[in-house]
């Protein structure tokens, strides 16, 4: 279990508690309280989804590294790394699954 999965589960638990509060407030005749409690439900659900995606990305990277030991010609994951996703392909991190960019990222990191 990665730390991301643990955090995702905590967010789901918090979203469930907030959803319970929302339902209780709505049934007790407090619509504004119910509406206010909806925000943490949506926020925590979104956070849980992001952490869950990060967990699956780490599992995919580990599986890719495991397969790469057997077959060094294995294709990189798509996207190759999360930094490339957020930078539009301009930057790559040291966990990049494209071996060329991994070497370049290490070289660039050592210069700083
Ligand atoms: Zn990359």
């Amino acid at each position: 279990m990665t730390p991301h999965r643990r955090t995702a589960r905590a967010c789901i638990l918090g979203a469930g508690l907030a959803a319970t509060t929302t339902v209780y407030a709505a049934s007790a005749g407090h619509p504004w309280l119910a509406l206010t409690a909806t925000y943490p439900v949506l926020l925590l659900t979104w956070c849980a989804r992001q952490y869950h995606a990060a967990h699956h990305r780490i599992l995919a990277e580990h599986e890719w590294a495991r397969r790469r030991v057997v077959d060094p010609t294995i294709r990189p994951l798509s996207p190759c790394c999360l930094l490339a996703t957020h930078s539009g392909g301009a930057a790559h991190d040291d966990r990049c699954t494209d071996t060329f960019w991994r070497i370049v990222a290490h070289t660039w990191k050592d210069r700083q």
Side-chain angles (χ1 to χ4, degrees):
M1 180 186 296
T2 63
H4 296 299
R5 186 171 195 178
R6 196 174 314 126
T7 305
R9 287 181 174 176
C11 288
I12 288 292
L13 178 66
L17 292 173
T20 303
T21 303
T22 302
V23 170
Y24 176 75
S27 66
H30 302 289
W32 288 107
L33 181 62
L35 191 62
T36 304
T38 303
Y39 178 73
V41 172
L42 296 175
L43 180 67
L44 289 171
T45 303
W46 179 80
C47 288
R49 184 171 177 256
Q50 299 302 316
Y51 277 110
H52 199 68
H55 165 73
H56 280 285
R57 174 67 191 196
I58 287 176
L59 291 182
E61 287 176 354
H62 288 179
E63 182 62 27
W64 177 85
R66 214 174 288 126
R67 288 183 180 186
R68 187 168 176 262
V69 171
V70 177
D71 182 13
T73 61
I74 191 170
R75 296 180 54 90
L77 295 177
S78 178
C80 59
C81 60
L82 295 180
L83 186 58
T85 303
H86 296 293
S87 67
H92 297 264
D93 61 13
D94 54 350
R95 288 185 2 209
C96 184
T97 55
D98 191 333
T99 52
F100 172 74
W101 289 115
R102 182 183 289 191
I103 293 169
V104 172
H106 272 290
T107 305
W108 184 78
K109 201 175 192 180
D110 293 339
R111 286 185 184 167
Q112 292 189 357

